[in-house]
Amino acid sequence: MSISFQDVIATGPITVVSIVALVVLIVETIRDKTELLTCWISITGLVLAMIVAFTSIENTGTAYSGMVNTGGYANFFAVVFCIAGLLSTMLSKSYIQKENIEHGEYYFLLLLAVVGMMLMAAAADLIIFFLGLELMSVTFYVMAGFVRKRQASNEAALKYFLLGAFATGFLLYGIALLYGSTGTTNIESIISRADILPPNTTFLIGLGLLLIGLAFKVAAVPFHMWVPDVYEGSPTTVSGFMSTGGKAAAFSALLLIFAPKLVNLVGPIQEVLAVLSALSMIVGNVIAISQTSIKRMLAYSSIAHAGYLLTGVVAANASGTKGILFYLIAYTVMNIGAFGVLSTFESKDRQNLTFDDYAGLSSKKPVLAGLMALFMFSLSGIPPFAGFFGKYYVFVGAVEAGYTWLAIVGVLMSVVSVYYYLRLVVLMYFKEQAVISEPTVSSLGLTALVISGVAVVELGIFPSTVLNIIANFF
Amino acid sequence: MTAETVLFFIVAACAIASAVLMVMQRNPVMSAIFLIGNFFTIAFLYLILQAQLLAVLQIVVYTGAIMVLVVFVIMLLNLGDEKKLTERFDIKKVLGVILVFGFLLEMLYLFGISEETRVYAGLNPKAVAVGTVESMGKAMFSTYLFPFEITGLLLLASIVGAVVLAKRRL
């Protein structure tokens, strides 16, 4: 049996991005100074993949002898990953020029990371899930260390690689035990097997190990140790991409495997998830308060957001899952935006990254300061911005599922988070200092920032645009 | 006693001998050579069990890739004066020896003496079929074709990544 044409079409977004990635690599090898060309090829390819994913969202089914899901959930996430990849590519252009790391391989790796993410969201089989995860992780390890001359970047890459490989070991062992106890690697069969037979110890240990691997990737406490150092050391646009696309991909897989049905069937897993969620919210938010570097603050805030999102997994009902999907798309635009603004001000020797550097920014750069304020409001979950509705739905889900205490912890911790997000806004608008150097922002990067800003407002005022699409999945 | 059993005992004796010799060498390079011998004899044992694919993989992965790593490490560590390594009596070593013999006795009991676990009625034909190159290839190029292709992308990403991180000039 060979690959049939229908399978290639059915998995359209994956096919398109893979081919574009290979084209980028070939163009890069046959000609010199192709950075501008490869950048535009990537942008075109990602837009194309997004259109393909969006138009074929209705054609649900499986492809490649039941290995991957197509349409619906998979395509929704394909769109999210394409948005993350697209915004990151647009923002990266001037940033990697500034850092002297403008190589075509950057775009190649970014595109392959998107392919890996799509595979994770589309996985119908644990093998595909694992390969997708590895494809994404391997490219992230390299992208984290892309500024080869900078020690912090090397440190980030090595730390991420060693800890990531360790987490992969747990994950693979979990998959092996699940296979051992159920005799299949098909995700749906595993879940339905848990329905028929009461889960035995091997099955539970397998699920637990798998959860460790995934909790590492979503940056949930206590598997979060790598996050601050990796996000701080990596190139800023890469940090933005890792924290949004990577998190969305890990959550898409988490929702596939730890689907509401399985979480409701296996009681202990729900308890464990609840503890992970509460710990992430508390640790992430409390440590973020004391940060002086904005990049590090955003890293801890990313841990906190993993906690909010896990609340939706714990809830294991319609509102919870709906909330996660909405939250992920909102988080993608607002967090890439925040990292994007950071990347424009960052000077070559990693200056201009602390809170104090941003004092009095509004008088000097009103547009960038306004956008940054917008992203900060949205991240803290203040209505009417996108971040609010994401939090609202996951907390409603938790209350419906009887986890009121978790929702209360979440709301209290959101209040804590307002302090450090709004501290930046206060500094930008109510302080007179303005010593920050001139930002390097290309028209491409500014377009990406404006798109993110508009999306944050749009999703906040008209959440139904996304919610109507999501409603058909479950 | 069939010819197969005789062959098994000869190969097994070689495997044990090479393993013991490997541990007893003072020179790490000699150790590595005996380790290769051990890998080969184990691959031979797999062949006797009719697991051809496993035998080939054992040779390709262990004697090929893993041994290259071992030799690299020996080379990089520059182990010159092995005479300095003096053996000392140590509680950890005693524990190790006890564990080894305990494990050996357990294996002997499970597979040789206990009636409950000694279900050794020849080879299961299904298990034999799984071990062949043919069945593996069939699975790899039909049901698991897509993962196979994705592995290609994964390898490509790793190669490009290694070049990006390590090449002096890009």
Side-chain angles (χ1 to χ4, degrees):
Chain A
M1 206 178 87
S2 61
I3 293 178
S4 78
F5 191 61
Q6 280 140 341
D7 287 342
V8 176
I9 296 294
T11 55
I14 297 172
T15 317
V16 169
V17 182
S18 320
I19 291 174
V20 171
L22 296 178
V23 169
V24 165
L25 192 66
I26 293 167
V27 169
E28 164 74 17
T29 38
I30 52 178
R31 281 186 53 192
D32 275 350
K33 299 268 163 252
T34 51
E35 288 76 21
L36 191 68
L37 183 62
T38 45
C39 176
W40 280 105
I41 294 176
S42 322
I43 290 175
T44 326
L46 284 169
V47 170
L48 193 66
M50 203 155 76
I51 294 168
V52 169
F54 203 75
T55 47
S56 61
I57 205 160
E58 309 269 298
N59 309 334
T60 49
T62 58
Y64 295 111
S65 39
M67 283 284 147
V68 286
N69 296 320
T70 58
Y73 185 84
N75 278 29
F76 169 79
F77 270 104
V79 172
V80 175
F81 303 143
C82 283
I83 292 173
L86 196 62
L87 293 176
S88 303
T89 311
M90 289 163 83
L91 287 164
S92 296
K93 183 85 181 85
S94 58
Y95 182 78
I96 57 178
Q97 246 165 6
K98 181 164 63 182
E99 294 282 349
N100 261 334
I101 46 165
E102 204 183 17
H103 306 297
E105 288 89 354
Y106 182 89
Y107 301 112
F108 170 73
L109 291 169
L110 198 145
L111 289 169
L112 274 193
V114 172
V115 174
M117 293 169 191
M118 286 175 174
L119 285 170
M120 283 169 79
D125 198 288
L126 285 176
I127 293 176
I128 293 292
F129 153 67
F130 179 72
L131 284 172
L133 183 87
E134 274 309 281
L135 187 55
M136 180 185 87
S137 308
V138 164
T139 49
F140 277 174
Y141 303 148
V142 180
M143 285 171 84
F146 214 84
V147 193
R148 305 185 304 165
K149 299 258 162 65
R150 192 197 285 162
Q151 225 164 21
S153 186
N154 298 343
E155 185 198 331
L158 194 63
K159 247 183 200 165
Y160 194 17
F161 172 67
L162 291 177
L163 290 173
F166 194 48
T168 302
F170 279 99
L171 192 109
L172 201 53
Y173 206 178
I175 292 176
L177 287 180
L178 280 184
Y179 177 66
S181 63
T182 61
T184 173
T185 51
N186 187 291
I187 294 171
E188 213 167 305
S189 319
I190 289 175
I191 294 174
S192 56
R193 189 66 63 91
D195 200 0
I196 302 160
L197 292 172
N200 57 13
T201 320
T202 323
F203 186 80
L204 282 181
I205 295 175
L207 271 187
L209 291 173
L210 199 62
L211 185 62
I212 291 177
L214 277 170
F216 176 87
K217 294 292 169 197
V218 303
V221 176
F223 309 105
H224 67 289
M225 299 299 182
W226 58 279
V227 181
D229 291 337
V230 171
Y231 285 8
E232 200 191 13
S234 307
T236 307
T237 47
V238 173
S239 308
F241 183 52
M242 287 198 295
S243 66
T244 56
K247 197 185 286 287
F251 266 104
S252 71
L254 195 71
L255 266 183
L256 275 179
I257 301 166
F258 293 88
K261 196 176 161 195
L262 184 73
V263 174
N264 285 325
L265 276 172
V266 189
I269 288 291
Q270 198 169 17
E271 298 295 325
V272 169
L273 282 168
V275 172
L276 283 184
S277 162
L279 277 179
S280 308
M281 290 190 282
I282 295 169
V283 172
N285 279 314
V286 170
I287 302 184
I289 293 175
S290 61
Q291 300 305 317
T292 49
S293 155
I294 301 176
K295 224 170 157 183
R296 239 180 141 75
M297 179 276 274
L298 283 175
Y300 281 106
S301 110
S302 140
I303 297 170
H305 282 280
Y308 303 135
L309 283 157
L310 277 174
T311 313
V313 184
V314 176
N317 52 23
S319 324
T321 36
K322 205 164 66 174
I324 294 177
L325 298 197
F326 185 83
Y327 202 135
L328 282 173
I329 196 163
Y331 184 70
T332 300
V333 283
M334 61 199 184
N335 215 37
I336 287 195
F339 272 108
V341 176
L342 275 189
S343 76
T344 63
F345 283 107
E346 187 178 340
S347 61
K348 232 190 143 201
D349 39 352
R350 293 215 300 151
Q351 297 295 310
N352 295 333
L353 283 175
T354 64
F355 277 91
D356 294 333
D357 292 325
Y358 277 67
L361 187 71
S362 65
S363 56
K364 234 182 145 186
K365 290 283 157 203
V367 177
L368 286 175
L371 283 167
M372 193 61 163
L374 185 68
F375 298 136
M376 288 299 131
F377 278 123
S378 183
L379 278 168
S380 56
I382 291 171
F385 302 112
F388 168 73
F389 282 101
K391 271 187 196 162
Y392 173 75
Y393 283 115
V394 291
F395 292 155
V396 164
V399 172
E400 278 172 9
Y403 276 87
T404 317
W405 67 270
L406 198 59
I408 292 174
V409 172
V411 173
L412 285 180
M413 285 303 134
S414 306
V415 175
V416 172
S417 76
V418 172
Y419 169 74
Y420 57 82
Y421 289 129
L422 293 201
R423 196 171 113 208
L424 185 62
V425 179
V426 170
L427 276 173
M428 286 192 301
Y429 280 89
F430 303 109
K431 279 267 160 59
E432 290 298 328
Q433 206 175 338
V435 285
I436 201 161
S437 58
E438 219 22 52
T440 44
V441 57
S442 59
S443 50
L444 203 59
L446 195 63
T447 317
L449 287 177
V450 171
I451 291 174
S452 323
V454 170
V456 165
V457 177
E458 202 272 346
L459 287 173
I461 297 176
F462 305 108
S464 53
T465 40
V466 172
L467 289 174
N468 285 343
I469 302 171
I470 297 170
N472 300 328
F473 297 162
F474 300 100
Chain B
M1 227 188 221
T2 58
E4 205 179 293
T5 329
V6 175
L7 193 63
F8 166 77
F9 277 115
I10 294 171
V11 177
C14 286
I16 293 171
S18 56
V20 170
L21 278 171
M22 181 218 137
V23 181
M24 284 170 66
Q25 291 305 312
R26 272 184 175 274
N27 188 337
V29 180
M30 288 303 283
S31 272
I33 289 171
F34 281 112
L35 189 57
I36 295 175
N38 185 252
F39 285 155
F40 266 112
T41 45
I42 288 186
F44 209 111
L45 283 180
Y46 289 146
L47 264 187
I48 295 176
L49 288 170
Q50 300 182 28
Q52 308 136 355
L53 184 71
L54 206 54
V56 173
L57 284 182
Q58 162 84 11
I59 290 175
V60 171
V61 175
Y62 281 93
T63 9
I66 303 279
M67 276 321 290
V68 170
L69 282 181
V70 170
V71 172
F72 260 122
V73 171
I74 292 172
M75 199 179 77
L76 288 174
L77 285 181
N78 241 339
L79 295 172
D81 38 359
E82 65 264 8
K83 303 236 158 33
K84 274 184 189 162
L85 297 165
T86 46
E87 296 270 350
R88 245 177 289 143
F89 185 76
D90 190 340
I91 188 81
K92 269 187 281 180
K93 273 179 197 141
V94 178
L95 272 179
V97 170
I98 291 172
L99 272 179
V100 165
F101 278 97
F103 190 59
L104 183 68
L105 285 177
E106 188 188 346
M107 286 293 138
L108 284 177
Y109 175 76
L110 280 180
F111 293 111
I113 300 162
S114 168
E115 284 298 320
E116 265 176 72
T117 47
R118 204 178 57 181
V119 276
Y120 206 160
L123 289 169
N124 186 339
K126 235 181 175 175
V128 173
V130 168
T132 59
V133 183
E134 200 187 341
S135 68
M136 191 74 180
K138 260 187 190 149
M140 201 189 268
F141 290 104
S142 58
T143 325
Y144 295 98
L145 180 64
F146 189 58
F148 179 74
E149 301 282 344
I150 296 300
T151 313
L153 274 188
L154 180 58
L155 287 176
L156 185 65
S158 323
I159 294 167
V160 172
V163 171
V164 164
L165 288 183
K167 194 162 178 270
R168 204 170 287 271
R169 280 172 51 100
L170 274 179

